[in-house]
Amino acid sequence: MSDDAVLDALVAAEAGLVRAWAAVGDLPPAEAESITAVWDSLALDVEAVARSAVDGGNPVIPLLSELRRALPEAQRGWLHRGATSQDILDTAIMLVSRGAVDVVLADLSRAEAALVTLAREHRDVVAAGRTLGQHAVPTTVGLRAAGWLSGVRRSTGRLRSLTFPAQLGGASGTRAAFVELGGAAATQLPARFAEALELDHVGAVWHTSRWPITELADALTQATDALGKLAGDIVTLTRTELAEFSVGVGGGSSAMPQKRNPVAAVLIRSAALRAPQLAATLHLCAALSEDERPAGAWHAEWPTLRELLRLTLGASAHAVQLIAALRVDHDAVARNLALSRGLLLSERLSIVLTPRIGQARMAALVASAAAGGDLTTLLRELPEAADLDIPGLLDPAGYTGEAGAAVDHATGDGAGEVRS
């Protein structure tokens, strides 16, 4: 996502246009290759292009001067033939975005595989579920990992479904110059342009219909959301007083040498906190894309989208590292599960006992347990519970519902859909 990468993509877009003119038969292929070969060997000064971009409001204008200067006079007419600056810049942004998304997808695939393993290995490790920060009912470590997996998997699907269209509309999106210059053959030019760059051809010009940008932004944000959820849970579960997970060595503190900070999780959360605001900016830009070329809204997209892509690239890379380093402390999980002395089974007890003893007595029994009473003793004192398997009733492993089946479904080890 560097300036050099964007500059390379701009040159690639101009080369793609030359090859497209050759593909529709207006330019001999050998001459097209001669032109693009000159540009391939050209050493461009990215800082000089950036400085000069201020005068014209975008970097394509100074780049054209450099590309034109490198060509013989007879070939210069094929540079930027019929295109407008937005065509080239939008196409370049799609090129770098596609490359970045490919990297993110590769990282998410590795993260998904690691989460499948984590969920399978800890399918039946019972843990305290927490709602609003407090013990709720039992869950499993495997189900928690399956939840992370579900988020990553859905975001992966969203990213894979993205369209990365080339842009070729001419000055006002009418493609009039292409028709004037190339006649009937020029109607195929946008498709050949996309084909030359291995981008999508969507037919319509999207100069001020910015759905390729906002759909990309939404998919990137969904990915950082999913990774942020995972990272947030890891930050909580690696707390010293919980310590259900650890993330290996590293993450030291300059002042507190005993610390092992979950740095990868922290960096992922940082990205997840910033990404939605960047996506919101891109939606605002799309909504304010007036006329046939936006004045300012288009320009605001470039740094915003690049930053969002950088954050997602970083978050996905850190996620691979984080998941690989995760270790479950089974003793800590069991210790925390026992902290509420069976009260996290109150829902189960209520379901079983209320029909036998009524709501008032059930509420009193839970209140007694919460005040320090021993649940096993309290239950054994109930005549109505004499026929119940009290140890089994108070076993958290017996009240995890469909957790195991949900893990199997998420990891591909089971059949059928799990009920919600």
Side-chain angles (χ1 to χ4, degrees), residues 10-57:
L10 290 169
V11 176
E14 290 290 357
L17 181 56
V18 171
R19 292 191 175 101
W21 279 112
V24 298
D26 281 34
L27 176 66
E31 189 168 356
E33 293 308 312
S34 171
I35 293 170
T36 58
V38 170
W39 295 340
D40 286 342
S41 62
L42 196 59
L44 294 168
D45 184 341
V46 67
E47 292 187 8
V49 172
R51 284 194 298 270
S52 300
V54 176
D55 290 339

Side-chain angles (χ1 to χ4, degrees), residues 301-320:
E301 283 181 358
W302 319 329
T304 306
L305 179 59
R306 289 170 68 192
E307 182 66 7
L308 179 54
L309 285 161
R310 286 190 186 102
L311 290 174
T312 312
L313 284 162
S316 60
H318 286 304
V320 175

Side-chain angles (χ1 to χ4, degrees), residues 298-340:
W298 176 51
H299 305 72
E301 283 181 358
W302 319 329
T304 306
L305 179 59
R306 289 170 68 192
E307 182 66 7
L308 179 54
L309 285 161
R310 286 190 186 102
L311 290 174
T312 312
L313 284 162
S316 60
H318 286 304
V320 175
Q321 171 194 340
L322 175 64
I323 299 166
L326 282 180
R327 299 293 180 270
V328 178
D329 186 330
H330 290 219
D331 291 339
V333 172
R335 181 191 69 234
N336 293 332
L337 182 65
L339 284 176
S340 56

Side-chain angles (χ1 to χ4, degrees), residues 348-416:
R348 184 185 200 185
L349 295 175
S350 180
I351 292 170
V352 172
L353 292 175
T354 298
R356 297 175 178 234
I357 66 174
Q359 288 185 346
R361 289 178 65 195
M362 184 64 225
L365 184 147
V366 172
S368 295
D374 178 69
L375 261 177
T376 300
T377 301
L378 290 170
L379 291 176
R380 284 177 174 162
E381 291 174 349
L382 287 175
E384 295 89 345
D387 62 327
L388 296 177
D389 176 9
I390 293 174
L393 193 61
L394 293 177
D395 181 5
Y399 197 64
T400 58
E402 294 183 334
V407 171
D408 292 342
H409 181 73
T411 59
D413 295 332

Side-chain angles (χ1 to χ4, degrees), residues 31-256:
E31 189 168 356
E33 293 308 312
S34 171
I35 293 170
T36 58
V38 170
W39 295 340
D40 286 342
S41 62
L42 196 59
L44 294 168
D45 184 341
V46 67
E47 292 187 8
V49 172
R51 284 194 298 270
S52 300
V54 176
D55 290 339
N58 73 70
V60 177
I61 296 171
L63 174 63
L64 291 176
S65 298
E66 297 297 319
L67 297 181
R68 185 175 292 108
R69 189 178 299 117
L71 294 176
E73 184 67 35
Q75 292 181 332
R76 291 177 180 176
W78 294 103
L79 169 64
H80 204 65
R81 187 175 178 85
T84 190
S85 297
Q86 187 172 1
D87 292 331
I88 302 305
L89 190 44
D90 280 352
T91 299
I93 290 295
M94 286 294 104
L95 285 171
V96 295
S97 297
R98 182 191 61 191
V101 167
D102 285 345
V103 174
V104 170
L105 283 170
D107 281 340
L108 292 180
S109 179
R110 287 189 284 272
E112 183 177 327
L115 286 171
V116 166
T117 299
L118 184 69
R120 283 175 177 160
E121 289 180 351
H122 300 89
R123 177 187 187 275
D124 300 314
V125 178
V126 184
R130 298 175 178 91
T131 61
L132 304 182
Q134 305 294 306
H135 279 203
V137 297
T139 184
T140 66
V141 174
L143 184 60
R144 190 168 278 142
W148 301 333
L149 171 63
S150 174
V152 170
R153 187 173 281 159
R154 288 193 69 85
S155 67
T156 296
R158 184 90 175 269
L159 287 166
R160 284 179 177 152
S161 71
L162 286 171
T163 301
F164 296 94
Q167 177 81 280
L168 196 62
S172 288
T174 64
R175 296 174 174 159
F178 301 120
V179 175
E180 189 72 18
L181 290 165
T187 60
Q188 293 300 312
L189 192 71
R192 301 290 80 80
F193 179 55
E195 185 179 276
L197 296 167
E198 298 181 348
L199 291 173
D200 297 309
H201 174 57
V202 295
V205 176
W206 49 280
H207 283 169
T208 53
S209 180
R210 306 305 288 172
W211 61 266
I213 302 296
T214 54
E215 288 186 6
L216 172 58
D218 290 344
L220 294 169
T221 303
Q222 183 170 343
T224 60
D225 287 349
L227 298 176
K229 158 60 178 169
L230 181 157
D233 283 349
I234 296 303
V235 168
T236 297
L237 295 169
T238 56
R239 287 175 181 267
T240 306
E241 60 271 25
L242 295 182
E244 295 182 12
F245 279 82
S246 64
V247 290
V249 298
S253 165
S254 63
M256 295 166 284

